[in-house]
């Protein structure tokens, strides 16, 4: 593993797609990091690596601790958090596509294969339509149980 170019790599996720094994892992630290993907045709390597998501020209720092997910309709997405200091860790859902057997996460305005996070995007196609729901945001504390907004 390349610790020189990817210091503080942690929290890896291991996947197999078609003829490649993939390791998705954040590197570079929580607030300043990037998402690295390593791939190999053998589970024991050798692995090649690529940065597939970083802050780029956006205000969204340190994409971190992400996970690839796939919808029932075959869309790929990447969920990760952003460190916002005193505001905590904010969860983001990024679109993800595959190009040349590498994931491209977020938008790729320079078409380099390295994405940047997006703040808005078309929602995932999960095969059916759900009504828009607004979470409860106030609580009169008139029940023995706390409302879901306190989770």
């Amino acid at each position: 593993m390349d610790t020189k170019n990817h210091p503080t790599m942690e929290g890896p996720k291991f996947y197999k797609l078609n003829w490649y094994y993939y390791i998705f892992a954040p590197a570079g630290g929580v607030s300043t990091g990037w998402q690295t993907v390593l791939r190999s045709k053998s589970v024991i390597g050798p692995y090649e690596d690529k940065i597939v998501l970083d802050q780029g020209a956006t205000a969204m720092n340190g994409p971190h601790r992400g996970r690839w997910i796939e919808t029932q309709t075959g869309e790929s997405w990447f969920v990760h958090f952003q460190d916002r200091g005193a505001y905590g860790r904010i969860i983001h859902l990024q679109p993800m596509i595959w190009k040349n057997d590498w994931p491209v996460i977020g938008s790729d305005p320079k078409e380099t294969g390295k994405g940047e996070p997006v703040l808005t995007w078309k929602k995932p196609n999960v095969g059916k339509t759900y009504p828009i729901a607004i979470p409860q945001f106030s609580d009169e504390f008139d029940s023995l149980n706390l409302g879901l907004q306190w989770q």
Side-chain angles (χ1 to χ4, degrees):
M1 187 172 315
D2 182 359
T3 57
K4 179 181 176 204
N5 292 325
H6 304 297
T8 64
M9 189 178 285
E10 63 174 332
K13 313 304 188 284
F14 188 74
Y15 307 100
K16 183 172 192 303
L17 179 66
N18 299 326
W19 46 85
Y20 282 106
Y21 295 92
Y22 293 91
I23 300 172
F24 283 54
V30 176
S31 62
T32 58
W34 54 87
Q35 184 67 39
T36 301
V37 170
L38 301 105
R39 75 175 185 184
S40 176
K41 289 187 177 179
S42 168
V43 72
I44 59 173
Y47 282 85
E48 52 187 326
D49 66 280
K50 183 175 183 179
I51 296 174
V52 296
L53 177 68
D54 67 10
Q55 181 172 350
T58 73
M60 194 180 304
N61 68 327
H64 203 73
R65 288 282 177 105
R67 183 190 192 299
W68 167 33
I69 55 177
E70 194 168 293
T71 68
Q72 303 91 314
T73 60
E75 290 181 346
S76 289
W77 292 84
F78 188 76
V79 63
H80 68 92
F81 74 75
Q82 168 196 21
D83 181 10
R84 291 292 309 268
Y87 297 106
R89 293 179 172 183
I90 311 301
I91 301 296
H92 294 276
L93 183 64
Q94 302 294 328
M96 185 173 118
I97 60 171
W98 292 88
K99 284 188 181 174
N100 302 318
D101 297 310
W102 286 103
V104 179
I105 302 171
S107 69
D108 185 10
K110 297 177 185 173
E111 297 185 10
T112 62
K114 180 171 67 169
E116 298 178 354
V118 297
L119 286 174
T120 60
W121 202 261
K122 179 183 169 192
K123 69 180 184 175
N125 177 1
V126 293
K128 60 183 183 177
T129 304
Y130 292 92
I132 294 175
I134 299 171
Q136 184 176 343
F137 57 88
S138 68
D139 198 334
E140 297 300 320
F141 300 104
D142 55 2
S143 171
L144 292 176
N145 298 319
L146 291 174
L148 292 177
Q149 72 274 23
W150 294 104
Q151 288 189 25

